[in-house]
Amino acid sequence: MSNQAALAVTRVANSCVLLEINGHAVLTDPFFTERWHLHRGEPLGMTVAELPRLDAIIASHSYPNHWDLRALRTFPRKAATPVFVSSPRMARQARDLGFRQVEHLEWGQSGHPTEELSIEATPAGRTLLWRHNAYVLSSGGLRVFFGGEIRDVSLLERYRAEHPPVDLALLPVNGLRAFVGPPIVMGPEQAVAGSSALGARVLVPVHDAHGDDDLLARVIRRNGTGMEAKSLADARAEGPDVVNLPTGQRWTYPAVGRS
């Protein structure tokens, strides 16, 4: 990684983020390739070939825009890259692709891809019988909460009641919702409230764009944006700062607008 910072974020697409924390590179929720029914709705921030050496890959759940097996098949450093996933099935899939260091983390369990980096799995809800993971990454006194597909603020409140605050929160903001039923992920209001519950100084919105030209968009609609999250947070005296990142743009913490 060039211009190394203690903490830096580069959005790739959806909840796929390249996170740099104290010299360690972690890729979240891999999503590089579109499908006929599933489009990004935003430019791709980087390709698999452009990724640096990774210290870990983490995945929230098994839907293709969070667990892109097609792209991971082309990943060149499978043997040396630890992978942390939310289900035994995902672990088997990763091993079948050639990854050798794979761990299925239950809620409350932690992985340690290096001596200086800890990755803790925390509750992010369920889809039918399958658990979704959120993750807290810790290194050198820095703590980052990643909720690639999380809906309930109460889960973050419960986590914070038993753990120290985090510095940075990566949370969904587009509030995707089908014609019937509850939202699938957080909207702007929940993301801002969730960041505050975690004690985060900064919220970087993920799960923001949504393809409007595919089958999925006909039944699942967007109900919020990162810009709405920023407006809501700016109206609060206590923050958090909301940093909306275009895909491909590298941002370093704590380069925020409010002191």
Side-chain angles (χ1 to χ4, degrees):
M1 293 173 290
S2 61
N3 301 320
Q4 190 176 89
L7 184 55
V9 177
T10 307
R11 285 188 57 243
V12 178
N14 197 45
S15 294
C16 184
V17 169
L18 176 63
L19 178 67
E20 304 167 43
I21 179 169
N22 281 327
H24 301 94
V26 178
L27 185 72
T28 70
D29 283 8
F31 180 37
F32 296 88
T33 58
E34 294 184 316
R35 288 151 176 79
W36 66 269
H37 64 289
L38 188 63
H39 293 167
R40 289 187 297 269
E42 60 186 344
L44 184 65
M46 66 175 63
T47 65
V48 171
E50 292 171 330
L51 290 169
R53 181 190 63 82
L54 298 177
D55 292 284
I57 297 171
I58 60 177
S60 302
H61 63 96
S62 62
Y63 201 68
N65 61 349
H66 293 260
W67 181 236
D68 187 353
L69 294 174
R70 185 184 300 172
L72 290 175
R73 191 173 292 116
T74 68
F75 183 77
R77 293 174 291 276
K78 298 184 184 74
T81 304
V83 178
F84 300 92
V85 294
S86 61
S87 73
R89 177 173 175 266
M90 293 170 69
R92 289 193 299 270
Q93 290 171 331
R95 294 188 186 102
D96 288 345
L97 289 176
F99 290 93
R100 297 179 183 175
Q101 304 176 59
V102 183
E103 289 189 51
H104 161 222
L105 294 181
E106 297 278 3
W107 295 342
Q109 293 182 332
S110 294
H112 301 274
T114 75
E115 292 184 1
E116 301 84 17
L117 177 63
S118 172
I119 297 175
E120 178 188 2
T122 71
R126 297 174 181 266
T127 299
L128 299 176
L129 300 177
W130 295 279
R131 293 184 176 197
H132 292 189
N133 281 357
Y135 296 93
V136 177
L137 296 87
S138 305
S139 180
L142 288 168
R143 289 167 52 80
V144 177
F145 189 98
F146 170 72
E149 185 149 329
I150 191 168
R151 181 183 69 190
D152 297 324
V153 175
S154 62
L155 297 175
L156 308 186
E157 294 170 337
R158 291 173 199 162
Y159 179 84
R160 178 67 181 91
E162 299 179 357
H163 298 84
V166 304
D167 299 284
L168 170 67
L170 303 163
L171 296 173
V173 292
N174 67 3
L176 291 186
R177 188 170 194 161
F179 293 126
V180 295
I184 297 170
V185 298
M186 289 179 170
E189 183 176 354
Q190 292 75 34
V192 171
S195 297
S196 294
L198 290 167
R201 177 181 176 185
V202 180
L203 163 65
V204 173
V206 297
H207 215 299
D208 188 359
H210 183 52
D212 58 4
D213 58 349
D214 54 41
L215 180 62
L216 193 63
R218 298 178 185 177
V219 295
I220 298 178
R221 300 296 177 87
R222 186 182 191 188
N223 288 278
T225 67
M227 292 307 298
E228 291 177 53
K230 180 168 178 56
S231 294
L232 289 168
D234 286 349
R236 299 163 54 118
E238 69 276 16
D241 287 287
V242 177
V243 178
N244 285 297
L245 289 180
T247 55
Q249 177 177 313
R250 183 175 182 267
W251 170 86
T252 58
Y253 176 94
V256 295
R258 187 160 49 202
S259 60

